[in-house]
Amino acid sequence: MNAELFAANKNILAANSGYRAFTRSTLTAEDKTLHCHDYWQISLQSEKKLLYGIGNDVFALDRNVIQVIPPFTMHGVVGDPDVSPFRWWAANLEPYFLEQISVKPFAFESILRNHLKKGSYCFSLSEENMRLCSFLLTSIHEDVNDRSNLGLLKDISKLLPVIRVILESEPVQPLSFSELPNRTMYRVLQYVDAHFTESLTLKDLADQFGISVSTLSHTFSKYTGRSLYDYILYRRVMLAAQQLGDDIPLNEISSSCGFNDYSNFLRSFHKIHGMAPRDYQKTLRRYAG
């Protein structure tokens, strides 16, 4: 996500008490790029089949599949997606918002994380629950300007049935390795995800996986929506953002995330997040408090 878009999303989430819902009918540039964010996302789509990567898995999304994506989990359409119109409903939920609306024994963030331990990020909905969830998310989206206490209460009352439906639904299994359309690029991406804090070059990867540098460069960009260099830089910055919630000195975070030059870390973080690491850290602490 570019800095302007990230800042806009953060402002929207802050203005809406830590959540927002939206609908759209086309894939955005971000959808077609592997990315992550620091909030939860619950989404579903209709009338379109997509190959969608979440974490280390690839799913064949179809109608009546709801996705639950935790903070800092890489996700996005992989390969060469069909760009024909379709419907997409989603809700972005900040962790602090889930904490605020939780009451014992219902800690919603923990409940969602435990549900994902079933082995999937996607869950199959009945036609009735598909209609229900899309209606509820649309309703929240349409009421976006009502920031009164009553408006917040109404939105929470609409989010809770969506969470209930997720917990009642059966997990959708990811594609097996033999079902993947580009198994070589899948293996390359898994390797990069395991080693992105180390020194990686196109030539090293091309030699390791037995393909030419030009083929790897072109196919990786097509598969992930990013060049190898941009993907590694993005992963390092997002790992740093994830660690900023802990009491770790910034120079240690920079080094552990693969930045040999602290000034490069600062520039890269600001480019992606639209703010300095310390300002991002202050924001996290303000919400946590």
Side-chain angles (χ1 to χ4, degrees), residues 136-190:
L136 293 171
L137 294 175
T138 300
S139 180
I140 297 171
H141 166 73
E142 291 174 347
D143 294 338
V144 68
N145 293 320
D146 185 358
R147 304 293 9 118
S148 66
N149 287 337
L150 180 58
L152 175 61
L153 181 60
K154 288 180 178 178
D155 285 347
I156 293 172
S157 70
K158 296 166 188 172
L159 282 171
L160 295 184
V162 176
I163 295 176
R164 175 186 60 79
V165 165
I166 292 169
L167 298 179
E168 293 175 346
S169 301
E170 290 299 314
V172 173
Q173 295 305 310
L175 296 179
S176 66
F177 184 75
S178 62
E179 294 174 310
L180 296 173
N182 193 328
R183 293 187 287 273
T184 298
M185 199 49 50
Y186 175 83
R187 290 173 58 227
V188 169
L189 185 61
Q190 302 311 297

Side-chain angles (χ1 to χ4, degrees), residues 226-246:
R226 300 178 185 274
S227 70
L228 177 65
Y229 173 81
D230 287 340
Y231 184 85
I232 290 173
L233 187 66
Y234 182 85
R235 290 302 314 267
R236 289 176 177 179
V237 167
M238 296 310 291
L239 178 61
Q242 190 173 5
Q243 294 181 9
L244 284 171
D246 300 324

Side-chain angles (χ1 to χ4, degrees), residues 6 10 13 15 23 38-39 56 60 66 75-77 82 97 99 106 112 117 127-128 130 151 162 205 281 286:
F6 183 89
K10 293 296 290 185
L13 288 166
T23 66
D38 56 3
Y39 46 80
N56 293 320
I66 193 164
H75 61 282
V77 177
D82 173 13
F97 171 72
E99 182 180 352
F106 303 108
L112 287 174
K117 291 179 180 178
E127 189 65 32
E128 179 183 1
M130 171 72 181
V162 176
L205 287 172
Q281 191 174 54
R286 182 168 68 251

